[in-house]
Amino acid sequence: MEFVGSILIQIGIFTILATSFNLIIGYGGLMSIAHPIFFALGAYGSGLLTQATGVPVFAGIAFGMALATVASVALALPSLRVSGDYLVIASIGFQLGLLQIIKNSEWSGGPGGLSNIPPLLHAVGPAAIWSYVAIVGFAAIASILIVRWLVSGDYGRAITAMRDDEEAFKGLGHDAVRLKLVLFGIGSGLAGLAGGLYGHYFLFVTPEQFEILYSAAMLTMVVVGGIRTVWGPALGAVLLQFLPQAINFLKLPSSVTGPLQGILFTGLVLLFLFLRPHGLLGRAPGARAVVQEDDPTEASVK
Amino acid sequence: MFDRGILLQVLWTSLATASFQVLLTIAFALILKVTKIWNFTQPALMGVAFYAMYVALNWWGAPLPVAILVGFLATAALGLVIECVGFSTLRARGSESITFFIFTLIFAQFVIYVLTLAFTTEPVFMLANMMSPTMLVGDVVVSTWDLHSILIAASLTIALLLFLRFTRTGQYMIAVADNADLAEVYGISKAQSYALAMLIAAIFITAAMYVFGSKLAVYPELTLHMMIFAVVSTILGGIDRVFAAAAAALGINLLQQLSVLVMDSRWQPLIVFSILFIAIVFFPRGIRLPARRVADGRAGTPVLDKAAE
């Protein structure tokens, strides 16, 4: 049962990550590859603060979220003022540069990682695991509902208009950069929340867990589940938790399992990109006559 | 610490080590100029170029020129697949730029994972003997590798310059880069120009990986880190200005090499990331020299300025 609980916790954490990434790249149309580093900022920020000051873990997680949000705005503001294309370039530099700092610094535990992170729940045994499942599940559902609320109604219409025709959107007197910053900040803050929950569950984080290549796994969840759908990334997170487990059953050496999982993730994205770009839950553009119930943005436009 | 000998040595070393970065930057900037795509599949091409040469040399026992040819053929084949299957399909669908970004980044990661599965994460050397004979020129130590790499980078750069300026095919590529649809009205095939740009990029990438791999060890993920240098140089040089990007690569490399005099080498990579942010904030269109003025004090005409670039 402990194993099932652990899988559910990971599904919840990856649902938050995928949902927040979908908000940024799907609804916002903002390409960033730095999502793993905002995940890391949440984990390290919360872990270090709770370790050093003894503040309650919930406060630490809130700090991790705030840190990820502030860092994301600092990253996005200069690049978005120029062009959206620059965001992806800046995000690569930000991801690699910040990870370089984490790897080479003593305060972060260096390449060996940060250990002895205080747990969120001090109890042990099945009750503690299921309590953690409930907390993570609540956070995941809350993330999905926040995104659903954001992309619905007037705000959702503004997001669609900004993404579909930015010049016209600006011509109507709206501030596209501010809207993008809000989406990027909220998406990154949610990644920070996922990082905090991850760190306080596993109690140990290493820089390797936040490498740039993990952005492929996050993209897989979004693209396979359905980009610009509210529930698609959650479905992607569930699938991507079970696929690696299937590979694990093959009992291959770890030097093979890691790359094989990566090939599976990235291969799936490429397949879906060309064969079913709207993902499992999204609908093809030809099917637009029917209101897309899963995409509040589209529904509200109609 | 800052004596003349050390400074000269740093200058020379930075010139030599910049050679592969110049080649990679030109490959990246050329694809961006002609196809208008940020080609983040470049790490995949770099990885394939290196490991194809590695396999030819170390598994098949092929002579070096044959290994380089194998490296080029493999890189060119992959480049053409990316262009003719990937990019052209996305173009035909009228895909958003975010789809191109996802495709290029994920494709690069896919190939890196395949290379990791085949060759593991262990860094490997391409040549059995990595030692390069050296000689003393004044106070400066000059190795054969330095001379080879500078010669390769300089000759390929000059060849590309001549090709773009003086051959009809090269001029067609520039026409497509300036306005692809208008070029097609004049009977120039943009698909051919895109494919040719990919082939030229494959030559530069293979040469760069030969130069790099004949001195340093490579592991699959390294290529992703190496690409960032080309991206920064391209922005700093100014998008659409291939040779200015190459000059920016030289400048950034010099700065990076000089930094060892004042900071710990483990922080050296951060210089590139810092320059990236400075470039995006202050020089998003690249560093441009002031417009040249003619005798009566007026600025040169835009046409002449463009030709001068």
Side-chain angles (χ1 to χ4, degrees), chain A residues 25 86 104 216 266 273-274, chain B residues 93 96 98 109-110 239 266 284:
Chain A
I25 69 160
Y86 281 74
N104 288 318
T266 50
L273 215 52
F274 285 96
Chain B
R93 279 187 194 167
E96 301 167 56
I98 197 163
Q109 295 190 7
F110 175 77
I239 295 162
R266 71 187 160 144

Side-chain angles (χ1 to χ4, degrees), chain B residues 195-208:
Chain B
L196 184 61
M198 199 54 101
L199 284 178
I200 295 171
I203 295 173
F204 277 76
I205 289 168
T206 310

Side-chain angles (χ1 to χ4, degrees), chain B residues 78-91 191 194-195 198:
Chain B
L78 184 64
L80 288 178
V81 168
I82 291 167
E83 172 51 47
C84 301
V85 179
F87 292 164
S88 66
T89 306
L90 296 179
R91 267 190 219 107
Y194 294 155
M198 199 54 101

